[in-house]
Amino acid sequence: WDYFFTQYEDYKGLVDELRFWDRARTPEELAAQWDVGLRGDEAGLVGWFDFAARDGEVFRDRLDPTRVLHLHRAGPEAHAPEGAPL
């Protein structure tokens, strides 16, 4: 892409979920596991935000519901109607 985001720009694209791990994943791990569903008890998984489950613009971590993301302009009108691959 030869491009980076600054604090003044919005991400424009589709995201189904956001996963946080206790270490950086290798390119090989990402390529092999990007479409594998989670159970929630995977080793090293420390955060998992499923964007299908929402309360307005608030998204809760499936591992610890006290952790939340507030995503600007992520209300129902920004939700794509097509299903995710998982």
Side-chain angles (χ1 to χ4, degrees):
W1 288 14
D2 193 29
Y3 182 79
F4 62 93
F5 296 103
T6 71
Q7 63 191 7
Y8 302 106
E9 298 176 58
D10 294 332
Y11 170 77
K12 294 169 184 68
L14 299 175
V15 177
D16 182 51
E17 64 182 19
L18 186 59
R19 302 172 179 185
F20 290 95
W21 300 91
D22 63 357
R23 64 176 178 80
R25 309 295 275 183
T26 67
E28 294 79 18
E29 288 173 317
L30 293 173
Q33 300 171 352
W34 71 270
D35 63 347
V36 175
L38 296 177
R39 294 180 315 274
D41 61 352
E42 288 78 5
L45 183 65
V46 296
W48 178 19
F49 292 86
D50 178 2
F51 293 143
R54 73 163 89 235
D55 181 12
E57 295 183 350
V58 175
F59 300 85
R60 297 193 181 281
D61 184 350
R62 292 185 63 182
L63 304 180
D64 179 356
T66 65
R67 295 186 292 207
V68 298
L69 289 177
H70 296 266
L71 298 181
H72 178 62
R73 290 189 276 180
E77 69 282 354
H79 187 74
E82 68 269 5
L86 297 179

